[in-house]
Amino acid sequence: MSVHSSANIKRITTHILQEMKNRGEKISMLTAYDFSMAKIVDDAGIDIILVGDSASNVMAGHETTLPITLDQMIYHASSVVRAVSRAFVVVDIPFGSYQGNSSEALRSAIRIMKESGAHAIKVEGGAEIKESVVRILSAGVPVMGHLGLTPQSIYKFGTYSVRAKESAEAQKLLEDAKLLEECGCFAIVLEKIPASLAKKVAESVSIPVIGIGAGGDVDGQVLVVHDLLGITQEFKPRFLRQYADLQSVMMDAFTNYIKDVKSRDFPNESESY
Ligand code: KIV
């Protein structure tokens, strides 16, 4: 890595993320929802930690991201913020707390920033949420956009398949990305869209574009940490690279513990007072 890389930086900021795009250094982003995981992810040197509303799925066991509440997101975010010393922490504003009402959007964003200590918020959508985005930005809160497969709209889409394959949806996505940039968003996430479209978006806007299932020609990548670690075994989309099989590691540890308790092997003398 060059001497100008982000590796030596004490705290990642929106300014540093922009510089990374400008010089072509890829941005790394992962989700985290609790103190212990966030500490490891931060110590590993990640650039952005997303307290995603995917917490609704991987932490709470809901089928979609819709049920998670603002209070629950703030709880997760404040746990993450307490663990992090280097990464930039972004928090998803949950479904129902920003769409269609810019005053409520501003109130939700301010609650997240004030009560969790996070550094930015993320919203799903383009032109239809412009008023909320502008209002939040006017309070000095950095906003990350999210286009393509936006999971809060899953009941509108009816499927988790690749978005914007047709030219009309692709054109709208490109226009939405430009609009979010014009409004003042500091970055945009693109989820599950054709790599060629993601490349076009990343070339058409000057702010960083982070992809998940959007190919390699964007400015950075994001994954859900439980998927990367192989804790969520049943979720294996094509875009996911699984870096570990923690489900097996954990299963071995738990079954060995149970066996040792049952057989009275644990605790032994050296593990007792
Ligand atoms: O909630 C989340 O984890 C996300 C990522 C998939 C980008 O929005």
Side-chain angles (χ1 to χ4, degrees), residues 31 33 50 52-54 92 122 124 146 189 191 212 222 224:
T31 65
Y33 320 97
L50 171 67
D53 58 1
S54 49
D92 264 330
K122 176 162 83 60
E124 295 185 6
H146 184 159
V189 165
E191 181 164 352
I212 173 163
V222 57
V224 169

Side-chain angles (χ1 to χ4, degrees), residues 105-126:
L106 179 60
R107 249 194 320 277
S108 305
I110 287 178
R111 275 202 62 201
I112 289 174
M113 300 298 282
K114 233 182 184 10
E115 296 176 37
S116 76
H119 311 130
I121 58 99
K122 176 162 83 60
V123 292
E124 295 185 6

